């Protein structure tokens, strides 16, 4: 049923490694020289906090947090960060990468952010949406209409 076998944080780590490689071997224009690039750490901390808040919503609702098995979801979570975006944990991973790009400093790491968005959307979000729509039918369709996929 569900094809994805790679957890989204692994995609994030792979992209982060590629971002480092681009910054080190093919840097394009320095955007954030030291010490300004250190502000990227703040972005990463805020992103991790957002991910933690989103994760807590799953625990509060006693439903699965495993992105590889959305079919085990017991309840549709639509409160907290989920009232602003349908995928706050993936958005948090994107912001971790954004913070990492700031830390790295050059323009080249930013080129991989759209690739991460496309990869997570195609490989994770769309299959999850299909399963959630089958499981929660009209409730999920209404949620999709009222809350955006990313922001």
């Amino acid at each position: 049923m569900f094809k994805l076998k790679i957890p989204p944080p692994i995609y994030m780590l792979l992209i982060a490694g590629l971002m480092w490689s681009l910054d080190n071997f093919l840097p394009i224009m320095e955007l954030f020289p030291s010490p300004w690039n250190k502000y990227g750490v703040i972005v990463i901390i805020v992103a991790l906090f957002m991910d933690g808040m989103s994760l807590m919503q799953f625990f509060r609702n006693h439903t699965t947090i495993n992105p590889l098995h959305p079919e085990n979801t017991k309840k549709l979570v639509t409160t907290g960060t989920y009232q602003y975006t349908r995928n706050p944990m993936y958005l948090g991973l994107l912001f971790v990468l954004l913070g990492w790009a700031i830390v790295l400093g050059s323009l080249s790491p930013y080129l991989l952010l759209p690739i991460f968005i496309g990869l997570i959307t195609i490989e994770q979000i769309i299959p999850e949406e299909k399963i959630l729509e089958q499981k929660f039918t009209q409730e999920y369709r209404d949620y999709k209409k009222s809350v955006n996929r990313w922001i």
Side-chain angles (χ1 to χ4, degrees), residues 60-114:
R60 284 187 194 119
N61 285 280
H62 307 287
T63 192
T64 185
I65 61 166
N66 188 341
L68 300 182
H69 294 286
E71 68 277 5
N72 295 337
T73 302
K74 295 178 185 146
K75 183 179 178 191
L76 188 60
V77 179
T78 61
T79 58
T81 52
Y82 292 88
Q83 60 191 329
Y84 306 108
T85 172
R86 293 195 314 260
N87 298 287
M89 285 193 253
Y90 304 142
L91 187 61
L93 294 178
L94 176 63
F95 274 89
V96 167
L97 290 173
L98 176 63
W100 179 233
I102 294 168
V103 168
L104 292 171
S106 76
L107 175 64
S108 41
Y110 292 89
L111 301 174
L112 294 173
L113 296 178

Side-chain angles (χ1 to χ4, degrees), residues 112-126:
L112 294 173
L113 296 178
I115 292 171
F116 177 77
I117 292 169
L119 187 62
I120 290 296
T121 299
I122 292 166
E123 294 295 323
Q124 186 70 40
I125 295 173
I126 291 172

